[in-house]
Each structure stands twice: as C-alpha cells, then as structure tokens.
Amino acid sequence: MLPYTLNGKHGPLIVMLHWLGGSANTWTEVSAGLVARDFRCAALDLPGFGRAVDDDRFSVAQMSTAVLETVRGLRGAASKEPWFLAGHSMGGKLAAVLTRAAENGEVDLQNLRGVFLVSPSPPGVEPMTESKREDALRDLGQSTGDAEKDREHAKAFVDDNVGKLALPEAIEQRTTADVLHMSRAALRAWMTGGSKEDWAERVGTLSTPALVLAGTEESALNPAAQRKHTLAHFSRATLVPLEGSSHLGPLERPWELIEHITDFVASLGMSWPERTESLPATTLSPGFLRLIDSDCTSPQTRSLLLQRLTPQAFFPAIFTSSQRHAARALARRVVPAAPQDLASKLEEQLTRPQQDGSRRASLPADADAWLQGLASFEAASKRTFGVPFAALDGARQDELLKQAAAGTLGRGLLGALYLGAGAESFTPEQMKDWFEDVRGELAKLYMTDPRTLERVGFTGFADDHGFTHIRLGELEDFENTTAQARQDAR
Amino acid sequence: MNQLAHNRISMRRYQDDEVVDAVIIGTGAGGAPLLAKLAAAGLRVVALEAGPWWEAPAEQFATDETSASKIYWTDERLSAGDTSVVFGGNNSGTGVGGSTLHWGAFVPRADPRDLRIHTDFHEGADWPLTYADLLPYYEEVETFLGVSGPAHYPWDSGRRYPTGPVPINAPGQLMQRGFAALGLRTSAAPIAALSEPYARPEYGQRPACVNRGFCHQGCRNGAKASMDATYLPWAVRDGAEIRPDSFVHGFERGSGGNITSVLFRQTGTAGKAGTERRQRTRAVFLCAGGIETPRLLLHTGLANSSGQVGRNFMAHVATQVWGTFAGRVGMNKGFPATVISEDMLRPAGAPFTGGYLVQSLGVTPVTWAQGVARGRGLFGEELVSYLDRYNFVAGIGINGDCVPVKGNYLELSEEVDRNGLPKPRVHFSYGKSELAMSEHAVTLLKAAWQAAGAEDMWTLERTAHTIGTCRMGSSPEASVVGSFGQSHDLGNLWICDNSVFPSSLAANPALTIMALSLRTAEHFLASR
C-alpha cells in the first residue's frame, strides 16, 4: 500500500491523487473543508513523492496498480461502499485509468460514484511543449549540488504554476518543500515517460460522472484544452473554469474546489450525512437536550428548537452557483463558528414574501441587494486580486470585508470608470449599509440555532415555570443542573 | 384561550351596511381604550385590526425571537436620512392588541415640562394641553391596568401606583449600583405588568408576572397589560365588535364631506382570497400609529389641508451602552427594564432640548446579537467570541426627547406593497440637539457602567418609537387635529395614537397614548 493521510470519520470516501511535485499535503486544505462537510478524505503519496519517495514504480500502469492496491486496503476487498476519486494533474491521468478499471468491473473499485479532476493530465499524450519539458528536466531533473539553487528552482516551479493570486506564504513554502523532497527520478520518468504514454484508446469513453476543473490562466491545460483532451473521454462531465487560477487548483483555490465538489455530489442525488432520528442528540449535549425535553420548556418552544436541528431540504432559488459560493464564503467570514450553512438559510429566507419590515431607502429589495452586494465583493476581489471572492483565502476576504464596513469598497470615482463587472457595484455608502444588514442577518441566524444557545450557555427558553432567581449571580435550579452538566461534558 | 377569546364567542356583530356609531382603526394603545369606553357607553362600535387575532397566547407565543415576527408589522417601510430608523420588531406590532402585544410595557408619565418644550427651549412645539389635563386619565389608566411601581416615586411625591414594583433583576441592580456611585437617584420603574394578581370587574383576574423576560415576544399569561388582556375584553363584553385581518385602505365621503364608510380588505385565511368590504359609520377613529395613520391619510388625501400630515416625524434618542461584568448577569430573566432614573430630564447646562430617561436593559439573545453585529460592527472570530459573553453582559439606555424639524417627515414612495398602497418612506436625521443628547448620555452611562464594574464597553446608537406625523394643535393651518384628536378638516374623523404628539416627550409613548384615548373618548361622548 502507498502511504496516505486519512481525515474524517463519517461519510463517503474520497481518494486523492496529487500532481507532479506534490504529495498528500497537496490536498490539506481541500480535505479539511470536505471533512467539515462530512466526507472522509484519503490523500495518497504516489511513488517517488512524499513518504513514498523511495518507491520507484513510475510508469502509469505501475502507479495505477499501486493506487488500486491502496484503495483495496482503504475500503476493504470487494467493498460496495460508494466512493469518489480525485486527481490533480498527473493524478488525473491515473484517475482516468482507474475509472476505466472500475467500469470494467474491477471488484475492489466498485461503486465509484464520480471523479473530480483538477487540471488533469489527459489519458492521451500530455500537450506540453518540448521546451517546457526540457526546462523542467534541466532545473529539476537532478540536483545542482547547491541547496540554495535547488530551492530556487523548486520555488520557481511552484510559482510558474500559480495564476493571478499568489499562494499564501505558508502554503507556498510547504509546496516548495514537497517539490524539493520528490525523487528526481520520478520527475524524469514522468517527463520522459508517464506524460507521454498514450492511454487514450485504453481509457476510451467513460460514463462515470466527472467534474473537471481547470484554471483559466493555464497555457497548455486550460479549459479549452481540457474540453478537447479530457472531456472526450467522459460522456458525463461538467467542466468548470477556475477564473484567474493556473495549474495548482487544490492549492490556489481550495474553497472553490470544496464548493464545486459538494455541489457536484449533491447533483448526483446523494445526500449525506445519513439523516437519522438521533441527529439532534448527536449535536447537543445530553444535558441541554434534556432541558429542551423537560417540562421547563413549553411545547411550542421545544418544537421550534428541535425543528431547527433537523436538516431541511434546501431548494436554491435566488443565487446562481457562483453567487452561492460567494455567499457561503461571506457567511463563513462573518460567523466562522456557525453550526450550519447560514448562507442557505439566508437564501431560503430571501424567497419569503415578508422580510423584517424595514429597509434602508438607499438599498434595493433584500434579494436584489444580496445579488448586488455579492457582485460588488466579486468585482472588488477581481479588481484587487484578479480572482473571484470565493477563491480568496480568509485573510484576503477579511480585507475586503473591512473595506466594506469602513465605507471604502464599491463603485467610487474610480469604480465609475471601471466598466467591467464593477459597473453594477454598490456605492461605498450602500456597501456599508448593506454589509451592516448582512452582519445583522447572519448574527441573527447564528444565534437562533439551539447549538449556539448551548455554546453561549443560554437557557432562557426553559421558562415555562417562570423564573425566581433573577438577581446578580443567581441561578434557577435547572440552570445549576445544566451548568454542572456542561462542566462535566468538558 | 384568554378572557378576550372567551368574550369573542358571544361577541356582538354588525352588518357592513348598518350605520354604526364609530369605526376604530387599530386596536393598540390608541384604539383599545376608546373602543372600550364607547362600547361601555352603549355605542355601536366596530374595530378594524389589520393583524390576526391571537386567542391563546399561552400556546401561540413561544419563547423564541424568530417566531415572534408574527406579532411585528413586517410590511416594508423605507428608511432614509442620516439616522436610519429601523422598523419592524423595533417599533411596530400587529394583531388584536396592536403594538402592545410586543410592547416593553415601560410606562413613565410625561414630565409636565415636556408638554411646554417650545416655551422653555424655543424649539419644537408645545402641546395644546397641560399635565393637569392628562393627570386624571393617567391615573385612570394606571389603576385600570394595575401598573406596578414604587410606593414613593422620587420625581413625583404625589404619585401612587396600584401595585408594588416587579422584582428588580440583575441589570437593574447594576444600574442602581452605578447611579448610586455617581450620586444619582434611581427607582423601581413603573411597569404595566403585574407584581401580584389583580382583578377588575371589566376584565376579570390577571396573574402576576413570572419574570420570563420575553415580553417583546408576547406575554403568555396576561400579566402584561397588553390591550388584549385589558381594554379589549371589556370592549367586547360591552358590545364592541373586533374584526381581525382587516386592512383599511380607503374611505367614502358624503355630500357634506364627512366620512360615511370605511373601505377595508379582509385578508383570506387558508387559501381563500381576500374580500373587499365597506363598513358604514357615523364617525371614524384612526388609531393606526405614527406610520400607518399618516400613510392612509396621504394615500386617501384626507384631513391634510394644513399640509402637515406626515410632517414632524420624531423618534426617541435611544442610545445604549453595553458592558461585560465579572460575575454572571443573566440579563434575559426578569422584566427587560426594571430600574428607571428621571434625573436627566433637565440636566444643568446640557446643550440640548429637553432631556432623557435612563433605564436598565436586559435584551434577549437574538436581538442582542443583531445589535452587536450591526452596532458594534463586529464580524468573524471577534463577533463569535463576544457573543459567547452573553450571560455576562448588561446594558443601560436612554429614551430622550427629539426636536421635530422640517427635514424629518414621512412620504409615500413609488413602491407598492401587498396591500396595494405605496410603501411609506421616512426621512430622519438627528439634529444638533439629538446628537448632543446622545453624546451626553454616552458619557454618563459609561461612567455609571464603569462604577458598576463593567469592562469592554461599547455604544449602540439607536432610536425608538415612531412619533409625530399628524400633530395636534390649536391652529388648523399648522396642525392636523385639535387637542381632543378631532380633525380640523373633517368633523367625524378623529386620530388617537402617537402620530398626534406635537413633541416626542422623554417618556415612552404608550401610557400617554392611552390617556389621550380616554380623553378623546370622554370628549366625544360628551359632545354627542
């Protein structure tokens, strides 16, 4: 078996295959996000990389076999559990080969529900210029003997594969270290062998649903090239361009990948986690749940609280998928601790005919305001960083949020001259007003959730017998019990 | 079911084409006392209420802020100007009982000086009546509702409340502590919720408050003197009819110009379409509040020869200061505001018009979280970790006078809502006086909170109540109604709600609205 990093305890398994120069680390951010959405992620180290640096099974067939063995080990022989395969660049070619094996009835790969390919190297010969191959072989094919120079080459290799938005420093350093660590023989083998192997006929046309993502800033493997070289092999594929991204999607755009993968899996009709009757019990402590169930809480209050713990079917109605991604990103920055997807809650709320009864005259109706506000963040993000808002890391998103709050983000004097996406933006004043509404609405949705009430220690809903201990430091009997239970739980 | 719902079973009903003595539009603090008084005098009266009828508050009002939106007026209102007024749950209710359903029931009387603000400050407007004119009605309302308050009110030695104060809660204790340190007086606040069981022949027995603290989400046991627990059961018992889900959108007038019938749409229930109806009547009492009253008059073009309808919009300066305390506060328990100070009604040398009341504040979590996110401007980890402090924070806030000015007014916008009427747009900006008052208050409240042990203090700028827009006055050129609420233009149209206030007063408006309602009723009955 190949070395792997497994995260997550529940949900469908995703097996992840990295790029030339990467390792299991390539998927760190994507895995963390998907685990939070109840997937299990197994990121592998391919032969010659990461912890498998001494493994020299470099041909496409050898690597595919090594992956297959690992999948068997991870899932158990002949497992029927649904699973997914993700492949980045070089890993994408292996994913296509394994998908063919799965469709051919390989018993250890059965019930493969979909593949996620990020800037994949296609099944046929990779369209790469000879000069690029030569550059890579020259700079990385062997050590220069000078550690500093090696490091420079590795860093340049990473930077050359990044689009408009530079990688956050920590990620760039980690990725450079991965490149330095790889077996140089593995690089040579891929450049002169693996990437030139033609598997086009052997892979043929696959019917497994595929999500293909490709950066618009990439030269050889851009969305148009992927349509030609990769989509030809997948009869049920969705191609999503990553605007402003280059070749390192999992590192450049982890949040977008998470959103696209989640949406894609949902579009297959899969619902996860399994919805069970016991869900509320698993998300609140037993003591808190007992209080909700007790006669201290009125029946109508109890029913409202429990209802909020039950996942509701979500019927998107207002946002497009990219607007939804931006809304989720925004909600995550405003209320990072939310126990549920506040953006979906909010979108559902925006479809109702009656809102809160109050609107600033400077802003359009609530749903329109959201569309325009998100468009404003989008335009500002593209103007400042060259990529969509959802593609930014948290620190950069916060930069824009702070500008919105301060009344310095939006269509100003300069904005008026900007005739691209920014022409539809709010003025800085409107942006400030709207962002205040956004904070208020998200805080409200957050505080309404019983899981938040428990976190905060609020038990005022348990008032059916009234309160008698209302002075400083006083606790009702049940509050003593609940506080004790909270302590015990910690 | 509450007493009102029991009385509804045998409620008298009038035909639409029957000419009743009076139609009252709205069943809140303005309409309900009138309805009761007129019915008790044997008049045939119909109340039209835009909202639904909550017959069983004990089952229908959950301890939950989101679900309480059903008792808030959520037809959209547009807020323009530099000081954005927040509508909806903040200041407007709906349902049989009107805004008193979600009311805070904080019932100080107007200070006598506030009624002659122009005389004293050369700004704003004097009332065309005096404190002595209002006093008997204040006393009648307080006795009828069973207002709880201290045995000795520090700022009015002659005042007596029918029941003792409700228990002072943690934020109230902190305000006592902070004000004592500054050498300022406090008192248990006058509150229209019962501190002990109370009975009146007109509405029967009501139980004491049990300190749930969710008063703004609807009182479940009738301890709060909302109109559905007090004046309305009396009105229905004595022959009044209340029609819920009835939105008034027009009037018909006779050859003499007076109103002859009221046009309303009864909204459909359970999938049935609404029906257009018309109630014939001899008189109309418009008691729909500071927004809906002028909106209806502007829409119909009535009673506006003065051009004053919608003018002089006011909102109380309601700045709050928040702080975190070392020990547990638990501000959700007990009445939201239990302690008052009237020491700042005329602070020496203060650079503003009138003055302000101070009150202790306990706020429920969702409302508080919204205030934090909006007013303190927090987001991200800062927001989440501050919200975690909920059980350790308490607030202190003011209710302060506001000067009516030309630039603050209500108009009809170009947008139409589900009722087919244009949405109202309210222009409101603080002037010098309001800005100075808020600043003065922040300094004082922060000093008090610091003395009480608060850390991490911050200020929430906000306004409260919708006031003015159909000013009462003696001159038909400069006001919409006379001192008894009668329209200068139409002999059979009366207005009774916070729209008639010539100045905002520092006091919360409901008690004064009820007193005016009784006064209008008495005058109307005497002049028939």
Side-chain angles (χ1 to χ4, degrees), chain A residues 195-218:
Chain A
S195 68
K196 287 182 165 175
E197 288 186 32
D198 187 354
W199 284 72
E201 272 183 39
R202 281 171 282 179
V203 169
T205 306
L206 300 164
S207 60
T208 304
L211 170 68
V212 182
L213 303 122
T216 58
E217 295 301 302
E218 194 164 3

Short mmCIF file of all heavy atoms in Angstrom, two decimals, chain A residues 195-218:
data_model
loop_
_atom_site.label_atom_id
_atom_site.label_comp_id
_atom_site.label_asym_id
_atom_site.label_seq_id
_atom_site.Cartn_x
_atom_site.Cartn_y
_atom_site.Cartn_z
N SER A 195 4.02 11.03 -18.86
CA SER A 195 3.17 12.04 -19.50
C SER A 195 3.07 11.79 -21.01
O SER A 195 2.17 12.30 -21.66
CB SER A 195 3.74 13.45 -19.24
OG SER A 195 4.98 13.61 -19.91
N LYS A 196 3.99 11.00 -21.54
CA LYS A 196 3.96 10.72 -22.98
C LYS A 196 3.24 9.43 -23.31
O LYS A 196 3.00 9.12 -24.48
CB LYS A 196 5.40 10.66 -23.52
CG LYS A 196 6.07 12.02 -23.59
CD LYS A 196 7.46 11.89 -24.18
CE LYS A 196 8.00 13.25 -24.62
NZ LYS A 196 9.39 13.13 -25.08
N GLU A 197 2.96 8.63 -22.27
CA GLU A 197 2.24 7.37 -22.52
C GLU A 197 0.85 7.70 -23.06
O GLU A 197 0.16 8.56 -22.54
CB GLU A 197 2.09 6.57 -21.21
CG GLU A 197 3.37 5.96 -20.71
CD GLU A 197 3.13 5.06 -19.49
OE1 GLU A 197 2.04 4.46 -19.41
OE2 GLU A 197 4.01 5.00 -18.61
N ASP A 198 0.46 6.99 -24.09
CA ASP A 198 -0.84 7.25 -24.68
C ASP A 198 -1.85 6.19 -24.25
O ASP A 198 -1.83 5.04 -24.71
CB ASP A 198 -0.71 7.26 -26.21
CG ASP A 198 -2.02 7.71 -26.86
OD1 ASP A 198 -3.02 7.89 -26.12
OD2 ASP A 198 -2.03 7.89 -28.09
N TRP A 199 -2.73 6.59 -23.34
CA TRP A 199 -3.77 5.69 -22.83
C TRP A 199 -5.13 6.00 -23.44
O TRP A 199 -6.15 5.49 -22.97
CB TRP A 199 -3.84 5.81 -21.30
CG TRP A 199 -2.71 5.10 -20.61
CD1 TRP A 199 -1.41 5.49 -20.55
CD2 TRP A 199 -2.80 3.86 -19.87
NE1 TRP A 199 -0.65 4.60 -19.84
CE2 TRP A 199 -1.49 3.57 -19.39
CE3 TRP A 199 -3.82 2.97 -19.58
CZ2 TRP A 199 -1.20 2.44 -18.64
CZ3 TRP A 199 -3.54 1.83 -18.81
CH2 TRP A 199 -2.24 1.58 -18.36
N ALA A 200 -5.15 6.86 -24.43
CA ALA A 200 -6.43 7.33 -24.97
C ALA A 200 -7.33 6.18 -25.39
O ALA A 200 -8.50 6.11 -25.02
CB ALA A 200 -6.19 8.29 -26.14
N GLU A 201 -6.81 5.24 -26.14
CA GLU A 201 -7.66 4.14 -26.61
C GLU A 201 -8.05 3.22 -25.48
O GLU A 201 -9.17 2.74 -25.42
CB GLU A 201 -6.94 3.38 -27.71
CG GLU A 201 -7.20 4.00 -29.07
CD GLU A 201 -6.54 3.20 -30.17
OE1 GLU A 201 -6.56 1.95 -30.08
OE2 GLU A 201 -6.00 3.83 -31.09
N ARG A 202 -7.09 2.96 -24.58
CA ARG A 202 -7.38 2.04 -23.46
C ARG A 202 -8.45 2.62 -22.53
O ARG A 202 -9.30 1.90 -22.02
CB ARG A 202 -6.11 1.73 -22.68
CG ARG A 202 -5.22 0.69 -23.37
CD ARG A 202 -3.88 0.56 -22.69
NE ARG A 202 -2.97 1.65 -23.07
CZ ARG A 202 -1.74 1.79 -22.61
NH1 ARG A 202 -1.27 0.92 -21.73
NH2 ARG A 202 -0.97 2.78 -23.02
N VAL A 203 -8.39 3.92 -22.32
CA VAL A 203 -9.39 4.54 -21.44
C VAL A 203 -10.72 4.65 -22.17
O VAL A 203 -11.79 4.41 -21.60
CB VAL A 203 -8.90 5.92 -20.96
CG1 VAL A 203 -10.03 6.69 -20.30
CG2 VAL A 203 -7.75 5.76 -19.98
N GLY A 204 -10.68 5.00 -23.42
CA GLY A 204 -11.91 5.07 -24.21
C GLY A 204 -12.87 6.11 -23.66
O GLY A 204 -12.47 7.15 -23.16
N THR A 205 -14.17 5.80 -23.75
CA THR A 205 -15.17 6.74 -23.24
C THR A 205 -15.75 6.21 -21.94
O THR A 205 -16.25 5.08 -21.89
CB THR A 205 -16.30 6.94 -24.27
OG1 THR A 205 -15.71 7.33 -25.50
CG2 THR A 205 -17.27 8.02 -23.79
N LEU A 206 -15.69 7.04 -20.92
CA LEU A 206 -16.14 6.63 -19.58
C LEU A 206 -17.50 7.24 -19.29
O LEU A 206 -17.79 8.37 -19.71
CB LEU A 206 -15.13 7.11 -18.54
CG LEU A 206 -13.70 6.57 -18.73
CD1 LEU A 206 -12.71 7.39 -17.89
CD2 LEU A 206 -13.65 5.10 -18.33
N SER A 207 -18.33 6.51 -18.53
CA SER A 207 -19.66 7.04 -18.22
C SER A 207 -19.78 7.47 -16.76
O SER A 207 -20.82 7.96 -16.33
CB SER A 207 -20.72 5.98 -18.54
OG SER A 207 -20.48 4.83 -17.76
N THR A 208 -18.73 7.29 -15.99
CA THR A 208 -18.77 7.75 -14.60
C THR A 208 -18.84 9.28 -14.59
O THR A 208 -18.10 9.94 -15.33
CB THR A 208 -17.49 7.29 -13.87
OG1 THR A 208 -17.39 5.88 -13.98
CG2 THR A 208 -17.52 7.69 -12.40
N PRO A 209 -19.74 9.85 -13.77
CA PRO A 209 -19.84 11.31 -13.73
C PRO A 209 -18.51 11.95 -13.34
O PRO A 209 -17.85 11.48 -12.41
CB PRO A 209 -20.90 11.58 -12.65
CG PRO A 209 -21.70 10.32 -12.59
CD PRO A 209 -20.74 9.21 -12.90
N ALA A 210 -18.14 12.99 -14.08
CA ALA A 210 -16.85 13.63 -13.83
C ALA A 210 -17.01 15.14 -13.70
O ALA A 210 -17.76 15.76 -14.44
CB ALA A 210 -15.89 13.32 -14.96
N LEU A 211 -16.30 15.67 -12.71
CA LEU A 211 -16.23 17.13 -12.54
C LEU A 211 -14.81 17.51 -12.93
O LEU A 211 -13.86 17.04 -12.31
CB LEU A 211 -16.51 17.49 -11.08
CG LEU A 211 -16.26 18.93 -10.67
CD1 LEU A 211 -17.25 19.87 -11.34
CD2 LEU A 211 -16.36 19.07 -9.14
N VAL A 212 -14.68 18.33 -13.96
CA VAL A 212 -13.35 18.72 -14.43
C VAL A 212 -13.15 20.21 -14.17
O VAL A 212 -13.94 21.04 -14.63
CB VAL A 212 -13.18 18.41 -15.94
CG1 VAL A 212 -11.77 18.77 -16.39
CG2 VAL A 212 -13.50 16.95 -16.23
N LEU A 213 -12.13 20.55 -13.41
CA LEU A 213 -11.84 21.94 -13.12
C LEU A 213 -10.52 22.33 -13.74
O LEU A 213 -9.56 21.54 -13.68
CB LEU A 213 -11.78 22.16 -11.60
CG LEU A 213 -13.06 21.75 -10.87
CD1 LEU A 213 -12.75 20.70 -9.82
CD2 LEU A 213 -13.75 22.94 -10.24
N ALA A 214 -10.47 23.51 -14.32
CA ALA A 214 -9.23 23.93 -14.96
C ALA A 214 -9.07 25.44 -14.84
O ALA A 214 -10.02 26.19 -15.01
CB ALA A 214 -9.23 23.51 -16.42
N GLY A 215 -7.84 25.87 -14.56
CA GLY A 215 -7.56 27.29 -14.41
C GLY A 215 -7.54 28.02 -15.74
O GLY A 215 -7.03 27.49 -16.73
N THR A 216 -8.08 29.23 -15.74
CA THR A 216 -8.12 29.99 -16.99
C THR A 216 -6.75 30.58 -17.34
O THR A 216 -6.53 31.01 -18.45
CB THR A 216 -9.12 31.15 -16.91
OG1 THR A 216 -8.74 31.99 -15.81
CG2 THR A 216 -10.53 30.64 -16.66
N GLU A 217 -5.86 30.63 -16.35
CA GLU A 217 -4.55 31.24 -16.59
C GLU A 217 -3.52 30.24 -17.08
O GLU A 217 -2.36 30.56 -17.26
CB GLU A 217 -4.04 31.89 -15.30
CG GLU A 217 -4.88 33.05 -14.83
CD GLU A 217 -4.95 34.16 -15.87
OE1 GLU A 217 -3.89 34.68 -16.25
OE2 GLU A 217 -6.07 34.48 -16.32
N GLU A 218 -3.95 29.01 -17.26
CA GLU A 218 -3.00 27.98 -17.65
C GLU A 218 -2.86 27.97 -19.17
O GLU A 218 -3.83 28.20 -19.89
CB GLU A 218 -3.52 26.63 -17.15
CG GLU A 218 -2.47 25.57 -17.20
CD GLU A 218 -2.85 24.36 -16.37
OE1 GLU A 218 -3.97 24.36 -15.81
OE2 GLU A 218 -2.05 23.46 -16.28
#
